[in-house]
Amino acid sequence: MSKWLTALVALAICCIVGVRLYREGEMLRHSKNNGVAFQELKKLAERGNRKAQYRLARCYDKGHGVTENDSLAFQWYMKAAMQGSGKAMYQVGKCYKNGEGVAQDLHLAFTWFGRAAQDDNAHGQYALGKCYLKGIGVATNQSIARGWLRRAIQNPSGGADVLSKIKKDAAKGDEDAMNMLRIIK
């Protein structure tokens, strides 16, 4: 019985330390010069925490607490994506689409957007719909595009943001966004 209690206490300590390190890393959102928080977040990411890996990738991607580095951002996004992070899958797709931190590959962009979409990530669903609409890494198919775009805007986790972005872009005269609004009705 004492082995179980020891294991339970050890697990609780690991969880508490992990949460503390992750929260310290979250401070990077508020301070671009917080090198200490970045180092703590990096430690947790190196231990395999997928949320910390995603946050670390964002730090490298946006230059929060560290010099911006697209290659390292891609590597950390990929680590988090391989552990099932839908947000990271979407970011990996963006990296491949734009050639940021990795060679541009529209087929791989499509593949990663598809993985994010299947993970119920609204931005991944939007990106996948846009791929079908514009023929990015796949043949154009307006019917499939419509389905993914509708699914994206109806997604309870991020759908409102996606719809807001489409409307904002359409108001600025973006042809793709105006077309999206027409086909999702």
Side-chain angles (χ1 to χ4, degrees), residues 95-115:
C95 289
Y96 276 118
K97 180 179 177 274
N98 300 324
E100 295 173 348
V102 67
Q104 185 180 42
D105 186 322
L106 298 181
H107 180 71
L108 283 174
F110 168 78
T111 299
W112 281 101
F113 289 147
R115 289 180 181 182

Side-chain angles (χ1 to χ4, degrees), residues 45-106:
E46 288 170 343
R47 290 186 193 141
N49 182 294
R50 81 176 183 179
K51 288 182 178 182
Q53 290 170 341
Y54 174 79
R55 283 279 166 232
L56 187 64
R58 296 293 292 167
C59 291
Y60 281 117
D61 193 5
K62 302 299 180 187
H64 295 168
V66 66
T67 302
E68 190 174 315
N69 185 320
D70 290 342
S71 179
L72 286 173
F74 174 78
Q75 290 173 31
W76 284 107
Y77 282 138
M78 183 59 83
K79 287 180 187 221
M82 295 304 289
Q83 290 196 67
S85 168
K87 288 179 180 180
M89 291 175 199
Y90 166 69
Q91 292 296 336
V92 168
K94 276 182 59 178
C95 289
Y96 276 118
K97 180 179 177 274
N98 300 324
E100 295 173 348
V102 67
Q104 185 180 42
D105 186 322
L106 298 181

